[in-house]
Amino acid sequence: MKIKRVNGLRGTVSVPGDKSISHRSIMLGSIAEGTTEVHNFLQGADCLSSIACFRQMGIYIENNGDIVRIHGQGLHGLKRPENTLDTGNSGTTTRLMSGILAGQNFDCIVNGDASIQSRPMRRIMTPLSMMGASIESIRDNDCAPLKITGQKLHGIHYDSPVSSAQVKSAILLAGLYADGETSVTEPVLSRNHTELMLGACGGDIRSEGTTATLHPVKRLEAQNIIVPGDISSAAYFMAAGLIVPGSEIYIENVGINPTRDGMVKVCQAMGGNISLENVRDVCGEPVADIVVRHSSLHGTIVEGDIIPTLIDELPIIAVMAAFAEGQTIIRDAAELKVKESDRIAVMAENLSAMGVDITPTADGMIINGGSTPHGARIQSHLDHRIAMSFAVAALASDGETEIIGSDCVNISYPTFYQDLFNLAE
């Protein structure tokens, strides 16, 4: 993909459905009783991996594009898959599904692509094992492939060392099969889509502070789910509208869950002209339309409690920092090292190639902005968030930028380039 500077981005865009909510709709719909109907489901490769895995376990799932129907078989209705459950590139599928599998009456193997086979699974293996699960890393390296043999599980209280919705969700989903109360306390509250959807399906769950507590129930009930637009996908248009001169973009129907809205706060802290309109509640999730206009940005510090609310947006925030006056510091974000790529190293490598003054640190990066980046050959490392971030950077940079491995955006946003270029003037 080769991209050049544009003279402005104007118009309206609707981003795909939220990735996190789409994943959870498949999983909870599969173990609920009745038919769950999901509108605005994200047709990205990661979410399709979730569908494929639960189909392998005997769940009939109709995928008609915008509407997905999951014919749930109840908490104990999954069947042993004949083959390895292939999660593709999806860490969410791998980790959350492991929590469900831990309490089944069969054994299976869970594996994914090369990226998944290098991502840390000890973070779920430890708490699930404390619950009585039999989960082992076949290569004995704390990564996939995993062999999971279903067991009778026990409720635990787990003090998680990381604020991770994937870790928390794996434990809570396993807790559906436990013999007593299960609770998870995080250092900082991570995204809470699992808790909200469990509650809507009839789960006995409550949240207080950074602790979520679940009591097992005999059944979950199917729901109609309307998935809001994914704020992590909207983030690229928010950044593009702010850094490309002459831009004004209206982003429709975006989820603004307070455990996910850190991107909005950082844009405002950098002096961005960004506003929320038509704020409303849709199926228990707060939703708004977001309006962004080109702005003169300045540096800021991104750290502490806000990090879990924007962990996936940090690459595009680093791009915004390159176009902002002054220094931006990102810290407390060591989690970036264990995403689809080491996003600290990859952002430093690629922004440096564009002439940006960036210094990687152990838990983030320091970016000195103020000069216009120039085009470069960008290595995406097959990380969708890297590819999308540098597509945005290219629109406001001198010369031409080439993104190697640009098709990886299909993981979360198959029509990204089309939607972005449709706004160009």
Side-chain angles (χ1 to χ4, degrees):
M1 177 68 66
K2 295 181 178 179
I3 306 172
K4 293 182 178 180
R5 176 194 291 277
V6 297
N7 294 322
L9 300 165
R10 303 185 74 86
T12 300
V13 64
S14 294
V15 297
D18 188 279
K19 186 160 163 275
S20 298
I21 296 173
S22 295
H23 276 301
R24 286 155 175 81
S25 71
I26 297 299
M27 298 185 196
L28 289 179
S30 295
I31 59 176
E33 297 180 10
T35 300
T36 292
E37 188 169 282
V38 187
H39 296 256
N40 198 34
F41 182 87
L42 171 61
Q43 297 289 333
D46 275 12
C47 295
L48 296 180
S49 291
S50 285
I51 288 180
C53 286
F54 280 86
R55 281 175 170 166
Q56 274 189 259
M57 291 185 282
I59 303 301
Y60 176 45
I61 301 174
E62 302 173 75
N63 185 357
N64 299 316
D66 186 57
I67 298 177
V68 173
R69 292 183 183 89
I70 307 123
H71 298 269
Q73 295 299 310
L75 285 166
H76 303 283
L78 299 179
K79 295 180 172 61
R80 183 182 186 274
E82 293 183 4
N83 301 304
T84 295
L85 292 170
D86 182 2
T87 63
N89 187 250
S90 177
T92 302
T93 308
T94 306
R95 294 191 177 114
L96 271 63
M97 188 172 66
S98 294
I100 293 173
L101 293 171
Q104 301 304 314
N105 61 358
F106 55 76
D107 64 283
C108 61
I109 293 174
V110 178
N111 200 8
D113 66 8
S115 170
I116 286 296
Q117 291 174 22
S118 67
R119 294 180 70 177
M121 295 298 155
R122 175 56 57 187
R123 53 180 52 190
I124 61 163
M125 293 169 66
T126 294
L128 292 178
S129 296
M130 290 168 62
M131 298 177 76
S134 172
I135 177 169
E136 59 180 294
S137 168
I138 290 176
R139 295 175 184 157
D140 200 27
N141 63 352
D142 293 342
C143 298
L146 303 174
K147 181 178 181 182
I148 303 174
T149 304
Q151 304 284 342
K152 292 186 181 299
L153 302 179
H154 312 293
I156 62 168
H157 173 74
Y158 188 63
D159 280 306
S160 180
V162 293
S163 293
S164 164
Q166 292 182 2
V167 173
K168 173 175 62 177
S169 297
I171 299 166
L172 293 174
L173 292 172
L176 291 169
Y177 300 92
D179 58 9
E181 178 181 285
T182 297
S183 60
V184 185
T185 299
E186 304 179 278
V188 178
L189 183 65
S190 66
R191 57 186 67 174
N192 65 351
H193 302 301
T194 299
E195 296 96 300
L196 292 175
M197 196 176 292
L198 270 170
C201 292
D204 182 359
I205 187 163
R206 68 179 188 276
S207 298
E208 187 172 341
T210 62
T211 300
T213 303
L214 177 136
H215 292 269
V217 293
K218 292 184 178 179
R219 64 191 299 268
L220 297 176
E221 299 174 357
Q223 300 292 312
N224 283 343
I225 298 169
I226 301 173
V227 182
D230 196 324
I231 194 168
S232 295
S233 296
Y236 304 101
F237 296 95
M238 292 159 65
L242 294 176
I243 68 173
V244 177
S247 295
E248 181 174 340
I249 305 176
Y250 191 90
I251 315 165
E252 297 180 312
N253 189 41
V254 180
I256 53 166
N257 184 302
T259 65
R260 297 280 302 281
D261 68 353
M263 177 69 182
V264 175
K265 294 175 181 174
V266 169
C267 289
Q268 292 169 337
M270 297 180 78
N273 184 342
I274 181 168
S275 59
L276 305 182
E277 298 185 358
N278 193 21
V279 178
R280 57 211 184 269
D281 186 271
V282 178
C283 293
E285 291 278 355
V287 174
D289 302 324
I290 300 176
V291 183
V292 290
R293 298 176 179 87
H294 173 250
S295 305
S296 296
L297 302 179
H298 56 75
T300 190
I301 298 176
V302 186
E303 64 181 352
D305 290 1
I306 201 172
I307 293 294
T309 72
L310 46 61
I311 191 70
D312 287 336
E313 289 73 75
L314 286 172
I316 190 62
I317 288 172
V319 166
M320 288 165 52
F323 290 87
E325 287 293 331
Q327 186 177 79
T328 295
I329 300 172
I330 298 171
R331 52 182 170 229
D332 302 324
E335 190 75 4
L336 288 175
K337 293 182 176 180
V338 294
K339 292 290 186 177
E340 284 85 336
S341 66
D342 178 344
R343 289 177 178 164
I344 294 175
V346 172
M347 288 305 298
E349 166 198 333
N350 286 320
L351 282 176
S352 292
M354 298 184 84
V356 177
D357 179 359
I358 177 171
T359 303
T361 65
D363 64 348
M365 55 198 90
I366 301 169
I367 302 154
N368 292 303
S371 58
T372 301
H374 56 73
R377 200 163 189 258
I378 299 299
Q379 298 291 340
S380 73
H381 295 267
L382 302 182
D383 186 331
H384 56 132
R385 303 213 182 276
I386 299 298
M388 289 189 280
S389 294
F390 282 94
V392 170
L395 297 177
S397 297
D398 292 335
E400 183 177 79
T401 296
E402 182 180 8
I403 302 173
I404 309 302
S406 57
D407 285 351
C408 62
V409 302
N410 292 334
I411 289 167
S412 64
Y413 197 158
T415 62
F416 171 72
Y417 297 115
Q418 177 184 333
D419 288 354
L420 188 64
F421 299 150
N422 281 347
L423 297 171
E425 296 191 329

